mmCIF file of all heavy atoms in Angstrom:
data_model
loop_
_atom_site.group_PDB
_atom_site.id
_atom_site.type_symbol
_atom_site.label_atom_id
_atom_site.label_comp_id
_atom_site.label_asym_id
_atom_site.label_seq_id
_atom_site.Cartn_x
_atom_site.Cartn_y
_atom_site.Cartn_z
ATOM 1 N N ALA A 20 27.669 -116.679 -13.442
ATOM 2 C CA ALA A 20 28.628 -117.784 -13.593
ATOM 3 C C ALA A 20 30.036 -117.383 -13.183
ATOM 4 O O ALA A 20 30.831 -118.211 -12.726
ATOM 5 C CB ALA A 20 28.612 -118.270 -15.039
ATOM 6 N N ASN A 21 30.332 -116.102 -13.393
ATOM 7 C CA ASN A 21 31.700 -115.643 -13.120
ATOM 8 C C ASN A 21 31.827 -114.900 -11.788
ATOM 9 O O ASN A 21 32.853 -114.311 -11.508
ATOM 10 C CB ASN A 21 32.163 -114.706 -14.245
ATOM 11 C CG ASN A 21 32.131 -115.390 -15.588
ATOM 12 O OD1 ASN A 21 32.400 -116.586 -15.681
ATOM 13 N ND2 ASN A 21 31.759 -114.651 -16.627
ATOM 14 N N GLN A 22 30.795 -114.891 -11.008
ATOM 15 C CA GLN A 22 30.835 -114.088 -9.786
ATOM 16 C C GLN A 22 31.715 -114.717 -8.702
ATOM 17 O O GLN A 22 31.742 -115.943 -8.555
ATOM 18 C CB GLN A 22 29.421 -113.892 -9.247
ATOM 19 C CG GLN A 22 28.655 -112.827 -10.042
ATOM 20 C CD GLN A 22 27.271 -112.578 -9.525
ATOM 21 O OE1 GLN A 22 26.716 -113.418 -8.808
ATOM 22 N NE2 GLN A 22 26.700 -111.454 -9.889
ATOM 23 N N VAL A 23 32.407 -113.833 -8.019
ATOM 24 C CA VAL A 23 33.244 -114.277 -6.893
ATOM 25 C C VAL A 23 32.793 -113.505 -5.659
ATOM 26 O O VAL A 23 32.723 -112.265 -5.687
ATOM 27 C CB VAL A 23 34.738 -113.991 -7.164
ATOM 28 C CG1 VAL A 23 35.587 -114.348 -5.950
ATOM 29 C CG2 VAL A 23 35.207 -114.750 -8.390
ATOM 30 N N THR A 24 32.487 -114.214 -4.612
ATOM 31 C CA THR A 24 32.073 -113.533 -3.382
ATOM 32 C C THR A 24 33.298 -113.336 -2.499
ATOM 33 O O THR A 24 33.865 -114.288 -1.969
ATOM 34 C CB THR A 24 31.016 -114.367 -2.634
ATOM 35 O OG1 THR A 24 29.937 -114.611 -3.541
ATOM 36 C CG2 THR A 24 30.501 -113.640 -1.420
ATOM 37 N N ALA A 25 33.717 -112.073 -2.402
ATOM 38 C CA ALA A 25 34.923 -111.760 -1.616
ATOM 39 C C ALA A 25 34.564 -111.584 -0.137
ATOM 40 O O ALA A 25 35.351 -111.923 0.744
ATOM 41 C CB ALA A 25 35.587 -110.506 -2.151
ATOM 42 N N LEU A 26 33.388 -111.015 0.125
ATOM 43 C CA LEU A 26 32.924 -110.845 1.503
ATOM 44 C C LEU A 26 31.472 -111.316 1.576
ATOM 45 O O LEU A 26 30.677 -111.013 0.680
ATOM 46 C CB LEU A 26 32.984 -109.378 1.936
ATOM 47 C CG LEU A 26 34.364 -108.733 2.095
ATOM 48 C CD1 LEU A 26 34.201 -107.251 2.426
ATOM 49 C CD2 LEU A 26 35.189 -109.425 3.165
ATOM 50 N N SER A 27 31.157 -112.040 2.638
ATOM 51 C CA SER A 27 29.802 -112.574 2.728
ATOM 52 C C SER A 27 29.189 -112.268 4.091
ATOM 53 O O SER A 27 29.604 -112.824 5.110
ATOM 54 C CB SER A 27 29.842 -114.091 2.476
ATOM 55 O OG SER A 27 28.575 -114.640 2.624
ATOM 56 N N ASN A 28 28.257 -111.334 4.060
ATOM 57 C CA ASN A 28 27.465 -111.014 5.252
ATOM 58 C C ASN A 28 28.326 -110.777 6.506
ATOM 59 O O ASN A 28 28.106 -111.365 7.559
ATOM 60 C CB ASN A 28 26.467 -112.159 5.492
ATOM 61 C CG ASN A 28 25.322 -111.715 6.376
ATOM 62 O OD1 ASN A 28 25.002 -110.523 6.423
ATOM 63 N ND2 ASN A 28 24.736 -112.641 7.103
ATOM 64 N N VAL A 29 29.277 -109.906 6.370
ATOM 65 C CA VAL A 29 30.201 -109.616 7.480
ATOM 66 C C VAL A 29 29.583 -108.548 8.383
ATOM 67 O O VAL A 29 29.118 -107.515 7.888
ATOM 68 C CB VAL A 29 31.572 -109.130 6.939
ATOM 69 C CG1 VAL A 29 32.470 -108.659 8.069
ATOM 70 C CG2 VAL A 29 32.242 -110.238 6.139
ATOM 71 N N SER A 30 29.581 -108.817 9.642
ATOM 72 C CA SER A 30 29.077 -107.816 10.596
ATOM 73 C C SER A 30 29.979 -107.805 11.825
ATOM 74 O O SER A 30 30.312 -108.869 12.363
ATOM 75 C CB SER A 30 27.656 -108.160 11.043
ATOM 76 O OG SER A 30 26.780 -108.161 9.955
ATOM 77 N N PHE A 31 30.373 -106.656 12.256
ATOM 78 C CA PHE A 31 31.091 -106.493 13.520
ATOM 79 C C PHE A 31 31.180 -104.999 13.814
ATOM 80 O O PHE A 31 30.872 -104.166 12.943
ATOM 81 C CB PHE A 31 32.482 -107.145 13.505
ATOM 82 C CG PHE A 31 33.463 -106.534 12.543
ATOM 83 C CD1 PHE A 31 34.260 -105.461 12.908
ATOM 84 C CD2 PHE A 31 33.589 -107.061 11.260
ATOM 85 C CE1 PHE A 31 35.167 -104.923 12.013
ATOM 86 C CE2 PHE A 31 34.488 -106.528 10.370
ATOM 87 C CZ PHE A 31 35.282 -105.452 10.745
ATOM 88 N N SER A 32 31.587 -104.694 14.968
ATOM 89 C CA SER A 32 31.772 -103.265 15.297
ATOM 90 C C SER A 32 33.035 -103.086 16.135
ATOM 91 O O SER A 32 33.517 -104.034 16.773
ATOM 92 C CB SER A 32 30.549 -102.730 16.039
ATOM 93 O OG SER A 32 30.349 -103.472 17.204
ATOM 94 N N ILE A 33 33.546 -101.885 16.080
ATOM 95 C CA ILE A 33 34.770 -101.548 16.822
ATOM 96 C C ILE A 33 34.512 -100.258 17.589
ATOM 97 O O ILE A 33 33.958 -99.296 17.032
ATOM 98 C CB ILE A 33 35.967 -101.415 15.860
ATOM 99 C CG1 ILE A 33 36.313 -102.800 15.273
ATOM 100 C CG2 ILE A 33 37.180 -100.800 16.549
ATOM 101 C CD1 ILE A 33 37.313 -102.784 14.164
#
Side-chain angles (χ1 to χ4, degrees):
Chain A
N21 301 325
Q22 283 181 341
V23 175
T24 304
L26 292 176
S27 177
N28 200 26
V29 173
S30 299
F31 65 88
S32 58
I33 292 171

